[in-house]
Amino acid sequence: MRIPTNRFLIVGLLAAILCAAPAVARCEATTLMMATTTSTDDTGLLPVLAEAFKKDTGIELKWVAVGTGKALEHGKNCDVDVLLVHAPGAEKKFVEEGNGVNRTEVMYNDFVLVGPAADPAKIKGKKVAEALAAIAAAKAPFVSRGDDSGTHKMEQSLWKGANLPLPDKESWYASAGQGMLQTMAMAGERGAYTLADRGTFIAYEDQAKGKPALVVLVEGDKPLLNQYSVISVNPEKCKSVKFEAAETFRKWLASEKGQKVVGDFTLKGKKLFTPNAAKP
C-alpha cells in the first residue's frame, strides 16, 4: 500500500498509537513500512511485490515513494523499517555511518538517455560520455531530476565521468525537482533530453499510448547499469524499528520466490527488472 508523502508522518504517528494498544499486539509482526524510489512505484512493481510478500509471510507492506536521497533520510530519521533504493555509493555510506545493516543487492535494470526523435544534438548511438559532451556543446535543452534521487545522483556522476562540469545555471539546463514520470513529461514538453531508468521509461511509453514525445537514444553503455538494493534500518540506532519484519522482507526479496516475482514482472510484455541477488 502506497502512503502519499504528505500523509506519511500522520500515518506513522497513528501506527505508533495503534501498535501500542494491547488489542493489536501483533501489529509489528504484520505491518512493515518501507521507503523506496519513485521508479519502483511508477512501474507498478510494488503492489505486485506487496501482494506476493503478504501471501507468503502474512506481513503487510506499506511504502512511501520518494527519491533515494529522501528515502535514506527517512531511514536515518527512523521513520521506516526497510529501504529499497538505487544509489550504491550513498547506500554504502548510509550503512558505514551505522544507519542501516545487511545491504543486499536484489535486482537491476539500466538507465537510458532519452530525448526528442529529431535529436538536435545528434547523440543517437553514442557512448554516454560522448552524448553528454554533444548535448553541452550544442546547448541542447536538458531536464534533470534535480531531487537527490538515485537517478539524479547517477546523472551527476555521468557528467563527472565525461570530464564535464556539472551544469548548474546554464540556460539550456533545468531541474524538475520531481519524480521520473513528471521529469519526462517536462522534457517532452520542452523537446529536451533527460536521463531515465528503463523501467519507468517503459511505463511512460505505455501511458503515451504509442505516441511518446521522447525516445531512447543512448543505451547499453556500461556506466548506465542501475542496481537496486534492500537495506534494513539499524535497530541499534532506531529502537522502534520493526527489524524482524524488515529482515523477513530482505531475505524474501533475495530468495528464489522473491526473485521470481521480480523476474516475472512485465509491462506490455517488456521485462522491467532483472533479479540478481547472490545465491545463499
Side-chain angles (χ1 to χ4, degrees), residues 40-272:
T40 55
D41 192 35
D42 289 342
T43 57
L45 174 65
L46 294 183
V48 176
L49 283 179
E51 182 180 0
F53 179 60
K54 186 172 183 179
K55 182 179 179 181
D56 285 348
T57 67
I59 299 172
E60 181 178 5
L61 180 66
K62 298 182 180 180
W63 63 87
V64 56
V66 291
T68 288
K70 291 181 181 178
L72 293 172
E73 284 299 318
H74 281 313
K76 288 180 183 178
N77 294 335
C78 308
D79 295 329
V80 296
D81 308 303
V82 69
L83 306 168
L84 178 59
V85 287
H86 66 138
E91 295 162 22
K92 291 173 184 176
K93 183 179 179 182
F94 178 83
V95 172
E96 288 168 359
E97 292 177 347
N99 298 299
V101 295
N102 300 333
R103 174 180 175 270
T104 303
E105 295 183 348
V106 289
M107 64 187 189
Y108 70 90
N109 59 15
D110 62 341
F111 290 103
V112 290
L113 266 179
V114 300
D119 190 17
K122 306 303 178 188
I123 70 169
K124 185 174 176 60
K126 293 182 182 292
K127 296 291 187 181
V128 65
E130 297 170 344
L132 291 175
I135 290 170
K139 295 182 171 55
F142 188 100
V143 177
S144 169
R145 283 280 294 270
D147 62 351
D148 198 33
S149 62
T151 303
H152 183 212
K153 292 176 187 294
M154 172 58 77
E155 182 218 320
Q156 291 179 311
S157 73
L158 291 174
W159 288 110
K160 292 178 182 177
N163 295 316
L164 295 166
L166 286 174
D168 183 14
K169 297 180 180 179
E170 287 81 355
S171 60
W172 51 271
Y173 186 87
S175 291
Q178 299 188 61
M180 196 69 256
L181 284 174
Q182 296 92 330
T183 299
M184 283 189 283
M186 183 175 170
E189 291 169 358
R190 297 187 177 200
Y193 297 96
T194 191
L195 181 72
D197 68 281
R198 188 182 296 274
T200 310
F201 181 75
I202 290 172
Y204 163 82
E205 278 188 311
D206 181 56
Q207 291 185 9
K209 307 299 182 185
K211 296 181 180 179
L214 305 174
V215 298
V216 173
L217 295 169
V218 175
E219 61 185 327
D221 200 2
K222 187 176 180 180
L224 295 174
L225 177 69
N226 184 24
Q227 178 67 54
Y228 289 79
S229 298
V230 60
I231 308 170
S232 295
V233 173
N234 190 350
E236 293 186 3
K237 181 175 181 181
C238 299
K239 302 302 182 182
S240 63
V241 71
K242 299 169 187 174
F243 184 66
E244 184 177 345
E247 281 291 277
T248 297
F249 176 72
R250 181 185 66 82
K251 293 174 183 177
W252 176 86
L253 192 51
S255 73
E256 185 176 342
K257 283 187 176 181
Q259 293 283 280
K260 187 175 188 304
V261 174
V262 170
D264 288 348
F265 180 69
T266 61
L267 180 62
K268 295 295 182 180
K270 295 181 179 179
K271 188 172 183 177
L272 277 69

